[in-house]
Amino acid sequence: MKYLSAAIVLAVLILVACAAPPPVAMTEGDDALSVQLAPDSSLDIEARLELVAGIQAWTSWAAAGQEGDPGWFPSAYYRELKQFLAPYRTHPAFGLTQEMQDRGFMYDTVPELVLLSRHGLEFDLPEQGFPEHLIRRAGGEQQLRDLLAAWRSLARDCGFATFFNGHRDYYHQLASRLCRNLQARRISQWMQAFFGATGHQAFHYVLGPALTPGGGYGVSIQTTAGAETVHHLYQI
C-alpha cells in the first residue's frame, strides 16, 4: 500500500470540466453503493469502511487527528455515526482496535485490512490470505483474524446495516456530486502508472465520509476468478 497526501488526493480526484454527462445508475446492495464509471472503474461507498471509521472515531486516533484540530468541524453525518455506536462502547471491537493502534497498526493498515476482507460486513478472511507486510505491522496473523472477528461481531450486534441503509440518501448526494466532476479514465491512467500494475485491472474510488484522518490511501489487492487474476486498485 502507498500513502498519498490529502493534497494529492484532492488534486487527482476532484477534477473539473467533465465533458461526459454524469453517471446516474447506482448499484446497491445491503452494505454497499456503487456507481459504474467505466467498464473497469467504479465509485464505491462501503458499510464495512464506515463501521470501522465509526470505531476509530472513539479511539485516540480521532482525538489526535481531525478532532484534535481546532479548525475542524465534524459533519452531521460524522456525529450521527459516532453517536449510533456510543451504546456499544464496551464491545471488544473498540478495545481491540485501540490496542492495535497503540502498537502502531494505523494509517494505511486499517483501510487495507478492511478492503482485504470479503463479503461486506461479514469481514470474511481475504481470498489469498494476509500480505506479509500487514502481518508484520499487526504483530502476527492471529491479531488480524481477531480484529476482523471483532468488527464482524460489532456489525451484527449493533445492526450496522440499518445505519448504513438509513443514510443512503446522503451517500447518493455525495456520489452524485463527485461524479459530476470526476474524469474516470484520466484518473485510472494515473493510478495504473502510480501502482505500476500490469494485467487485468479494476479501479475503485472509495469514498470514506467518516474516515479519520480524511483519506488519501492507495490499496492494491489481487483476486483470482478462474484462470484470470484481477488487480484491484483502490483509491480512498
Side-chain angles (χ1 to χ4, degrees), residues 154-175:
L154 176 62
R156 293 173 179 174
D157 290 354
C158 75
F160 192 74
T162 301
F163 176 89
F164 187 79
N165 289 327
H167 288 78
R168 284 187 181 273
D169 287 346
Y170 175 67
Y171 303 143
H172 277 239
Q173 292 173 13
L174 292 179

Side-chain angles (χ1 to χ4, degrees), residues 107-164:
Y107 294 107
D108 54 332
T109 57
V110 176
E112 182 175 10
L113 180 59
V114 172
L115 293 173
L116 275 168
S117 70
R118 296 179 299 140
H119 305 139
L121 291 171
E122 289 301 311
F123 289 101
D124 288 341
L125 297 177
E127 178 183 0
Q128 298 187 7
F130 299 104
E132 287 299 323
H133 71 271
L134 208 60
I135 294 175
R136 287 195 302 270
R137 291 182 67 176
E141 181 174 331
Q142 189 58 50
Q143 282 81 349
L144 297 174
R145 289 174 174 268
D146 291 346
L147 193 54
L148 289 179
W151 292 343
R152 180 190 311 120
S153 174
L154 176 62
R156 293 173 179 174
D157 290 354
C158 75
F160 192 74
T162 301
F163 176 89
F164 187 79

Side-chain angles (χ1 to χ4, degrees), residues 3-185:
Y3 177 78
L4 306 177
S5 71
I8 294 177
V9 174
L10 289 174
V12 172
L13 288 182
I14 310 301
L15 300 175
V16 297
C18 182
V24 293
M26 297 187 184
T27 301
E28 300 191 44
D30 291 339
D31 47 20
L33 181 151
S34 181
V35 181
Q36 198 69 34
L37 301 171
D40 63 350
S41 62
S42 63
L43 177 71
D44 308 318
I45 300 177
E46 302 209 26
R48 55 182 175 167
L49 191 61
E50 293 309 291
L51 172 67
V52 175
I55 296 172
Q56 288 185 307
W58 284 104
T59 66
S60 59
W61 177 243
Q66 287 176 325
E67 292 190 6
D69 181 355
W72 178 73
F73 299 95
S75 67
Y77 170 77
Y78 181 91
R79 295 194 301 269
E80 290 169 11
L81 173 60
K82 189 171 181 179
Q83 289 308 309
F84 177 83
L85 293 174
Y88 304 92
R89 286 290 315 286
T90 58
H91 191 282
F94 292 90
L96 186 55
T97 301
Q98 181 67 66
E99 290 176 16
M100 294 287 282
Q101 289 178 5
D102 292 343
R103 294 202 297 265
F105 193 81
M106 49 188 177
Y107 294 107
D108 54 332
T109 57
V110 176
E112 182 175 10
L113 180 59
V114 172
L115 293 173
L116 275 168
S117 70
R118 296 179 299 140
H119 305 139
L121 291 171
E122 289 301 311
F123 289 101
D124 288 341
L125 297 177
E127 178 183 0
Q128 298 187 7
F130 299 104
E132 287 299 323
H133 71 271
L134 208 60
I135 294 175
R136 287 195 302 270
R137 291 182 67 176
E141 181 174 331
Q142 189 58 50
Q143 282 81 349
L144 297 174
R145 289 174 174 268
D146 291 346
L147 193 54
L148 289 179
W151 292 343
R152 180 190 311 120
S153 174
L154 176 62
R156 293 173 179 174
D157 290 354
C158 75
F160 192 74
T162 301
F163 176 89
F164 187 79
N165 289 327
H167 288 78
R168 284 187 181 273
D169 287 346
Y170 175 67
Y171 303 143
H172 277 239
Q173 292 173 13
L174 292 179
S176 297
R177 187 187 313 157
L178 184 54
C179 284
R180 283 197 296 268
N181 296 323
L182 188 66
Q183 296 180 0
R185 178 53 52 197

